[in-house]
Amino acid sequence: MNFASFYQQSIDDPNTFWADEARRVDWHAPFSKTLDYSRPPFARWFVGGETNLCHNAIDRHLAQRGDQAALITVSTETDTEKTYSFRELHREVSAMAATMQTLGVRRGDRVLIYMPMIAEAVFAMLACARIGAVHSVVFGGFASNSLATRIDDAQPVLIVSADAGSRGGKVVPYKGLLDEAIRLAQHKPAHVLLVDRGLAEMSCMAGRDVDYASARTQHLDAQVPVVWLESNEPSYILYTSGTTGKPKGVQRDVGGYAVALTASMQHVFCGNPGETYFCTSDIGWVVGHSYIVYGPLMAGMATILYEGLPVLPKETPDAGIWWRLVEKYQVTRMFSSPTAIRVLKKHPPEFMSRYDLSSLKSLYLAGEPLDETTSNWISTSLGVPVIDNYWQTESGWPILSIAKGVDDKSTRLGSPGVPLYGYKMHIMNESTGELCRANEKGVVVIEGPLPPGCMQTVYRDDERFVNTYWSNFRTQVYSTFDWGIRDEDGYYFILGRTDDVINVAGHRLGTREIEESISSHANVSEVAVVGVEDKLKGQVAIAFVIPKKAEGIATPEGRQALEAEIMRVVDKQIGAVGRPSRVHFVSLLPKTRSGKLLRRSIQAICEGRDPGDLTTIEDPGSLQQIKAALQS
């Protein structure tokens, strides 16, 4: 079957199509209905079916490949490597699950995971899945304020964390950040389960904090049965930046996610049991959930969990660590980001050529648009296909790509590909809601129902789910909030965000969240943050600030000092991931006469583009200030 007919079947007869794909998953009880779309836009997949993500990732492989490698943990920060077989992984996850149950975690309870890239983080995710708890992984780079907002929203019974993480040889103490977050949060978890790596001192609170090493010893031989969940029960919450400054908890189901990931491992990523998959993302992001933890394991593959940088910061920087891992563990499929490849491109080619990379069959890239230069360089250097793909935290698996597992459809430079099976996509005019013609710019939208694996709702806020994603046009369609065009052959090209979320090195950040952080500085009156195109990271955040006291920035030294203070505020409240690359000072910000901030005009000036129609601007001199600030 060619891809065109495969895709069309998924659109014309989704019930039959997805019922067939669901055979890839073990079901404890069969589903009575493939799709219930009686309450649009809420889709319920595989209604009545009972399954479990942990069972599909581990237990079902024990009989045939129990001794095969399942989880390979590598840390260049601590110079450690360890491989767990499926049987060993089952034992560790069972011990973690028994520990959680002892600490009062039950089916439907939330467990927040604030961890570095270590094995115990994966054990915790899979243990939650095993006992029917809902995990919420928070990226380890987030600071106390951001963590506190997620604690209050998820209201976890238990938090799993560690003494510290490490990046580039610099220890990042997690426990202090977590303690401060719990102090700031209104919700107080009953227990905190801690992994002590010996990287940083940590104080423990009697009665609340529990040492995992001791608990593990008590439960190492525990037999924890799988809790079978109805397909539409929640599996996890993953917070993504919102335009209001308040993060959105993307809620995912169990059965639809299991089917979508196992299908994607076959059709998109062409992974086979017994092979090794290497995704360089972080488990704090959706790529890490789907293609470090769940997807590869459900496909019966070994998966690499890597803690460290793509270039090791030695006296002579080592840009060959990833390629050493490809050779050592015979990686067949690798998933990374354009930003990481651009970093590697700066280093001599011998860092790659010294390793035998003959096992590698494909490299997949996502996170931000892939430029032609980067694509050509890495494809030529590796001698394997480079396959772009586009998706979101909300979708859980790729929306646009080339499904090489279905047929060998050609890729197209600058395009992540064509809509994948299940996604009925259009380009829609932002103003009129009419469908755009070929090569006409509009908003990328998807007709409901969304396919399996996509978000069910915003956690505890169905109204926000509908208002945010489904109420932007006259007809009810899901907005990706991305500009795009579609060429005559059906290939899509993504042109950037329509809202105030920016993409920095594959990390989605809300400009409003950064603005709110900067506004908390005592000498900040107003602030505008925009995402500006960057050749390395895709986008970077630039801030324009109106200070309350102009005399403080009268000298270059004063401006530098205030800029440094503002960056420290963002570091403390959001984390280094949210820090703007520059803070510029002005006395006016461009606004309409109704007071709306013209972020797109500011962004255009920063990128050297035409700021567009400015007839509605209140004070044209504000644009000159933006230009002058950039020049200075």
Side-chain angles (χ1 to χ4, degrees), residues 32-49:
S32 58
K33 191 173 186 180
T34 305
L35 168 64
D36 176 3
Y37 199 51
S38 59
R39 192 168 69 97
F42 299 93
R44 300 176 69 239
W45 287 96
F46 312 115
V47 179

Side-chain angles (χ1 to χ4, degrees), residues 428-431 433 443 445 470-477 479:
M428 193 167 277
N429 185 286
E430 182 190 31
S431 301
V443 181
V445 302
W470 296 90
S471 303
N472 298 282
F473 297 93
R474 291 196 308 269
T475 54
Q476 190 181 67
V477 290
S479 175

Side-chain angles (χ1 to χ4, degrees), residues 114 144 147 151 159 161 173-185 188 192 194 201-205 208-209:
Y114 183 61
S144 300
L147 180 55
I151 291 172
I159 294 179
S161 191
Y174 279 31
K175 182 55 163 58
L177 293 169
L178 175 59
D179 285 342
E180 174 64 8
I182 294 174
R183 187 190 70 79
L184 293 170
K188 311 297 181 185
V192 175
L194 293 162
E201 290 186 8
M202 60 178 178
S203 59
C204 292
M205 180 184 291
R208 187 196 73 180
D209 296 349

Side-chain angles (χ1 to χ4, degrees), residues 516-532:
E516 288 176 10
S517 176
I518 293 173
S519 293
S520 68
H521 188 283
N523 195 21
V524 172
S525 174
E526 288 187 70
V527 58
V529 174
V530 296
V532 177

Side-chain angles (χ1 to χ4, degrees), residues 16 32 35 46 94 96 118 134 200 216 229 239 265 341 354 360 363 405 415 419 441 514 522 603 614:
T16 300
S32 58
L35 168 64
F46 312 115
S94 296
M96 179 69 80
I118 57 176
V134 179
R216 175 182 176 274
L229 302 172
Y239 289 93
M265 292 303 299
I341 301 305
R354 70 176 60 158
L360 192 64
L363 172 68
S415 168
K441 178 181 174 182
I514 302 172
Q603 181 188 50
L614 301 175

